[in-house]
Amino acid sequence: MTRAVVVGGSIAGLLAAAALAGAFDEVLVLERDRLGADEGFRPGVPQARHVHGMLLRGAQAVERLLPGMQEELRADGAAVVDMGEQLLVSNQGQVTPPQTLGLPLQLFSRNFLETRMRDRVKALPGVTVQDAMSVTGLCAAQDGGRITGVTALADGESDASAEVIDADLVVDASGRTSRAADWLGALGYPAPDEVVVDAGQSYVTAWLDRHDALSDTGGGVYEIGQNMAHGRGGVGVAIQGSQVQVLLFGRGADQPSTDPAEFRAQARRLGSATITALAEAVGPGTPIYTYAKLINRRRLYHRMPRWPERFVVVGDGLCMFNPVYGQGMTVAAMQAEDLRTGAAGLLRDPGRTRALQRRLARRTSVPWLLATAQDSRWTERPSLLSPFCDWLLERMVTRIAGSRQLHKAFLQILQLLRPTALANPRALYALLRPRPTHRTEGEPAERPFGGSSWRRDHTSGDQGSPERTVE
């Protein structure tokens, strides 16, 4: 009888359990919070109140791990939209013209997804999800070189009541509050090196009933025109149940407020008529939430001088991204696929554990680069790639309206589908071609945001004018 223990019952833990179900006789998921049958919020996932996105690469992985998941979500009210048609990129109110790109995206809240995913995973043979159970440490063989299980404590019990749960594999998927480094330290392992990039951003999300401002898109709008210059932006998205989420993010003096009047004023500064119209519906009775932990943190477990057999770390406990980029759930899904591939081999040869942990770390490399190359420009130690990434992003944002190929390549990169999407000759030409030198009478010398190909949002809005390395 083989058993895997997964620490944490959120998205990363559920996907890890789905990945391991075919290789182990029993998969036990231990979740610290009490889990209800509804979609209510819980203490362990404070970010669930905010806009969430499963990128296309992640949605593909989830569908392989849990076939039919997308259709189940659609049947329960989570629409599938084409990103080019119904989730539009906006540059201070000038939006990309709608066009079919063949990039389907499903829109939902975090809890809507998690409750349905939990039901699917609990129905898998051999999988048990046990809530109100906190893992307090790792159990190991005498030399500490092989993990043999965990110690766990039921909610409300004293430390003396902790029980030992044997396991042939332990997966830490406990997220941002992971204590894996402490658990390993108690077994004599050195602390892992850690890299932190903190742009000082925070965000605020308001929840509304369905709003006419999104009727033109049917999906949402992502306003990024002032992100490079000021570190602020916004998202308006229609999710399940005729609900709309409006998110504003910013840094320093631009950090958004939960005060409705200030929220509306900050939305107007972005210059997007859609975001402005949505924000105007925010009033004293509107549910509105803030979240300030928008940091990037990478724990370099894969570089530790030694690593125990039968223990791996996945999800935010391994690498945490600024949620503004929406990468966390997708990276967790990709890592779950790696777990599925490597699980049977670990049972035969536990010595492969370190190679698997390194593979899981590699999954974070491209998302980490995309997030930190942008965020590090607000720190005391900007990445050497920041100037190039700024130029590249600005070039793409200002030109995607005039090129379907560049628009698609831009989204494929952000959705972690094809990091090399700009190798498409037509996309590359649209990116690099010189701007026209001639202009018609009355036309400005250089059209803003890619010229007349951009579609001006239908009403006007007011426009607004430190990396830490721990080693």
Side-chain angles (χ1 to χ4, degrees):
M1 179 70 117
T2 57
R3 175 193 289 157
V5 168
V6 178
V7 184
S10 293
I11 300 295
L14 293 172
L15 292 174
L20 299 173
F24 290 81
D25 298 315
E26 179 185 358
V27 179
L28 178 60
V29 180
L30 301 177
E31 168 54 45
R32 179 182 58 187
D33 287 343
R34 291 192 179 275
L35 302 173
D38 57 13
E39 297 175 22
F41 299 118
R42 55 189 177 89
V45 193
Q47 69 273 27
R49 294 173 171 84
H50 302 275
V51 173
H52 271 70
M54 179 70 77
L55 305 184
L56 299 189
R57 177 63 182 85
Q60 292 172 354
V62 170
E63 194 64 20
R64 286 190 285 267
L65 292 163
L66 296 169
M69 189 80 233
Q70 185 179 83
E71 176 55 29
E72 180 179 335
L73 296 171
R74 188 202 63 76
D76 284 349
V80 179
V81 302
D82 187 287
M83 291 193 68
E85 286 184 308
Q86 295 166 289
L87 189 63
L88 305 182
V89 179
S90 174
N91 194 331
Q92 299 187 85
Q94 297 183 356
V95 298
T96 49
Q99 52 188 329
T100 302
L101 297 178
L103 298 176
L105 184 70
Q106 199 159 27
L107 304 173
F108 40 67
S109 68
R110 162 69 177 254
N111 288 357
F112 178 89
L113 170 65
E114 186 174 302
T115 53
R116 286 156 181 79
M117 184 178 290
R118 186 186 309 128
D119 289 341
R120 283 290 307 275
V121 171
K122 287 168 64 176
L124 295 174
V127 175
T128 302
V129 178
Q130 185 172 349
D131 65 352
M133 181 70 75
S134 297
V135 171
T136 58
L138 298 172
C139 300
Q142 189 170 6
D143 63 354
R146 175 177 291 188
I147 302 304
T148 60
V150 300
T151 55
L153 190 65
D155 189 21
E157 297 291 333
S158 65
D159 291 345
S161 302
E163 63 177 294
V164 174
I165 301 175
D166 295 331
D168 300 285
L169 175 67
V170 176
V171 178
D172 176 23
S174 56
R176 294 169 176 248
T177 60
S178 168
R179 296 180 57 206
D182 295 334
W183 296 339
L184 291 172
L187 297 176
Y189 288 84
D193 289 339
E194 180 177 287
V195 180
V196 177
V197 179
D198 185 358
Q201 287 181 321
S202 64
Y203 59 29
V204 167
T205 299
W207 287 62
L208 304 170
D209 293 329
R210 180 72 69 184
H211 196 288
D212 290 342
L214 289 180
S215 60
D216 288 344
T217 67
V221 61
Y222 187 15
E223 172 55 58
I224 59 173
Q226 298 181 30
N227 186 34
M228 286 178 289
H230 302 286
R232 64 187 180 219
V235 179
V237 62
I239 58 172
Q240 79 285 344
S242 298
Q243 298 178 95
V244 170
Q245 290 178 311
V246 191
L247 179 148
L248 304 181
F249 65 87
R251 62 178 304 277
D254 289 316
Q255 291 191 3
S257 171
T258 56
D259 176 78
E262 293 184 19
F263 185 90
R264 295 192 297 269
Q266 290 165 334
R268 287 193 292 271
R269 295 181 64 186
L270 298 178
S272 165
T274 300
I275 299 292
T276 297
L278 292 171
E280 288 302 315
V282 175
T286 302
I288 185 167
Y289 309 97
T290 187
Y291 191 71
K293 300 176 182 179
L294 307 191
I295 68 172
N296 305 276
R297 183 181 64 206
R298 195 181 194 194
R299 293 189 173 108
L300 308 183
Y301 288 119
H302 59 293
R303 295 184 184 174
M304 288 176 61
R306 61 193 184 99
W307 186 257
E309 295 178 352
R310 297 183 173 178
F311 177 65
V312 294
V313 183
V314 300
D316 285 353
L318 177 61
C319 189
M320 176 170 62
F321 306 95
N322 182 343
V324 164
Y325 303 108
Q327 299 169 320
M329 293 193 299
T330 291
V331 171
M334 295 162 65
Q335 290 173 334
E337 289 194 299
D338 289 333
L339 282 178
R340 170 173 281 184
T341 302
L346 288 184
L347 283 173
R348 293 192 301 269
D349 180 8
R352 297 182 181 182
T353 307
R354 183 165 190 163
L356 176 57
Q357 186 63 59
R358 287 172 172 166
R359 193 181 319 144
L360 296 169
R362 284 196 296 272
R363 284 294 191 187
T364 69
S365 297
V366 171
W368 177 263
L369 176 63
L370 291 174
T372 59
Q374 298 181 68
D375 282 3
S376 68
R377 68 185 184 275
W378 304 111
T379 70
E380 296 178 356
R381 295 176 57 187
S383 165
L384 295 176
L385 293 174
S386 288
F388 171 73
C389 289
D390 283 350
W391 172 85
L392 183 62
L393 183 60
E394 181 178 15
R395 191 91 166 186
M396 285 195 288
V397 167
T398 57
R399 294 185 174 213
I400 58 178
S403 168
R404 180 181 184 276
Q405 290 76 21
L406 185 58
H407 188 185
K408 187 171 185 176
F410 172 74
L411 294 175
Q412 286 176 321
I413 293 171
L414 294 185
Q415 297 292 313
L416 302 182
L417 285 173
R418 290 184 58 210
T420 60
L422 284 176
N424 178 291
R426 292 185 178 181
L428 192 59
Y429 173 74
L431 180 72
L432 300 178
R433 64 179 172 79
R435 287 186 181 275
T437 57
H438 65 279
R439 58 190 176 96
T440 59
E441 184 177 354
E443 182 184 18
E446 185 171 338
R447 302 175 191 171
F449 316 123
S452 58
S453 295
W454 285 88
R455 186 177 62 132
R456 182 66 190 176
D457 222 345
H458 47 76
T459 60
S460 61
D462 295 339
Q463 295 186 26
S465 49
E467 175 178 50
R468 283 189 292 121
T469 305
V470 184
E471 296 188 358

